[in-house]
Amino acid sequence: HVQLQASGGGLVQAGGSLTLSCAASGASLAYAGVGWFRQAPGKERDGISCISRSDGSTYYADSVLGRFTTSRDNAKNTLYLQMNSLKPEDTAVYYCATVYYCAKYNRGLITGGMDYWGKGTQVTVSS
């Protein structure tokens, strides 16, 4: 049973940076599919990045491509989300999750099989 704990959120000015962490326990994330999601007030939870279980490829939603970077430290069993050039529209609660399937198509980032979720961490970007 995997437990995930996201942290690192906070208040930042537009143009600033934050790094989120997602520490895992109960199982290794080394070969797991994992992803970051966010939910803004009044909106659905959307996937923004993921690492594929099948080949380790990393995919990003167009809204964060070029600004956010997902990585993981297998020794620490931790997933990271480096967020640069933050915009007010990035304001949301951010979640990490295990992901059975992820890929990028013309219609966007597709994820499926999120069995385990961490509690969210709030990111607020002021203008």
Side-chain angles (χ1 to χ4, degrees):
H1 182 75
V2 179
Q3 291 185 318
L4 303 174
Q5 180 64 54
S7 61
L11 174 64
V12 64
Q13 288 188 331
S17 299
L18 276 177
T19 299
L20 305 184
S21 299
C22 175
S25 60
S28 172
L29 295 183
Y31 300 103
V34 288
W36 287 98
F37 300 77
R38 67 184 182 187
Q39 187 167 20
K43 296 188 177 181
E44 294 184 352
R45 188 175 301 185
D46 291 326
I48 56 172
S49 75
C50 59
I51 300 177
S52 171
R53 177 183 59 90
S54 61
D55 62 5
S57 296
T58 304
Y59 302 98
Y60 298 93
D62 289 344
S63 58
V64 304
L65 185 63
R67 299 187 298 122
F68 291 11
T69 302
T70 293
S71 62
R72 61 184 165 191
D73 185 330
N74 292 336
K76 295 182 178 180
N77 209 23
T78 300
L79 179 70
Y80 299 99
L81 182 67
Q82 173 68 43
M83 305 185 294
N84 298 325
S85 302
L86 283 161
K87 305 175 182 180
E89 50 264 45
D90 294 318
T91 294
V93 178
Y94 284 70
Y95 301 87
C96 56
T98 59
V99 177
Y100 186 80
Y101 177 80
C102 77
K104 182 80 176 287
Y105 297 100
N106 288 338
R107 63 182 185 273
L109 187 68
I110 305 298
T111 58
M114 285 73 75
D115 291 330
Y116 300 101
W117 291 88
K119 290 185 178 180
T121 184
Q122 175 71 46
V123 172
T124 303
V125 184
S126 63
S127 58

